[in-house]
């Protein structure tokens, strides 16, 4: 998928496209990385596709739902799911082991900070579920981190607008 296809989806489906692409990104599934999709949502808002706050809100909701899905997969699939995941993505083992330690040591603050670190921010949800971290604390910490991350990137796209779009479409 390229930027013009993404633009077409945004024009056709608006907030639903933002929600689905961000949801998949937060579930750590292949697609556009947040560094592209979130600024593009800001550009879409800047061009009148929707309000900036709605674009941020949709992206945060999608991020939280994606994080919850991985959290519950970790909680109810437990170690079996984690082992299956690590067999498929063995390079993530070290990052996941660090996140277990981070959750044990730092809990709420560890989740919040993890949501601000690329790759770790999507992977943290599985170990949090496996460790059965209190769901409300997890959700609040996750929400705060996702909100900060997504607001920064959507806002950057909104503020920079055309120059950012021109960088992506020149290729």
């Amino acid at each position: 998928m390229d930027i013009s296809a993404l633009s077409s989806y945004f024009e056709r489906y608006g907030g639903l496209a933002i929600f689905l692409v961000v949801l998949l990104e937060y579930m750590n599934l292949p697609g556009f990385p947040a560094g592209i999709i979130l600024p593009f949502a800001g550009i879409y808002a800047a061009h009148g596709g929707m309000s900036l706050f709605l674009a941020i809100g949709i992206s945060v909701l999608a991020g939280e739902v994606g994080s919850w899905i991985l959290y519950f997969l970790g909680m109810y699939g437990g170690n079996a799911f984690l082992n299956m995941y690590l067999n498929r993505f063995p390079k993530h083992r070290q990052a996941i082991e660090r996140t277990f330690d981070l959750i044990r040591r730092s809990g709420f603050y560890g989740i919040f900070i993890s949501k601000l670190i690329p790759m770790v921010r999507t992977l943290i949800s599985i170990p949090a579920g496996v460790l059965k971290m209190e769901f409300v604390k997890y959700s609040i910490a996750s929400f705060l981190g996702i909100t900060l991350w997504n607001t920064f990137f959507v806002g950057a796209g909104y503020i920079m607008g055309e120059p950012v779009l021109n960088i992506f479409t020149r290729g």
Side-chain angles (χ1 to χ4, degrees), residues 26 63-64 66-68 70 102 109-118 120-126 138-139 141-150:
Y26 270 89
E64 190 78 343
S67 295
W68 287 343
L70 291 182
L102 181 68
Y109 297 106
I111 296 295
F112 170 75
I113 291 167
S114 294
K115 292 294 180 174
L116 305 175
I117 302 170
V120 174
R121 66 191 187 82
T122 56
L123 295 176
I124 191 77
S125 302
I126 297 169
Y138 168 79
S139 294
S142 180
F143 173 81
L144 294 172
I146 290 169
T147 300
L148 185 60
W149 177 272
N150 290 13

Side-chain angles (χ1 to χ4, degrees), residues 1 43 60-61 66 71 82 85 115 125 131 140 150 156-157 162:
M1 182 183 295
I43 293 167
V60 169
L61 177 62
Y71 174 89
L82 187 60
Y85 181 87
K115 292 294 180 174
S125 302
L131 292 173
I140 293 169
N150 290 13
E162 284 299 321

Side-chain angles (χ1 to χ4, degrees), residues 1 5-25 37-38 40-41 44-45 49-51 54-63 65:
M1 182 183 295
L6 185 60
S7 178
S8 174
Y9 287 129
F10 276 25
E11 290 298 323
R12 182 175 290 162
Y13 302 109
L16 180 60
I18 294 170
F19 182 87
L20 289 176
V21 175
V22 174
L23 174 72
L24 294 174
E25 199 272 335
I37 189 64
L38 294 174
F40 201 80
Y44 178 70
M50 66 178 49
S51 76
L54 183 58
I56 291 169
I58 289 169
S59 74
V60 169
L61 177 62
V65 170

Side-chain angles (χ1 to χ4, degrees), residues 41 71 81 87 106 156:
Y71 174 89
F81 174 77
N87 284 336
S106 307

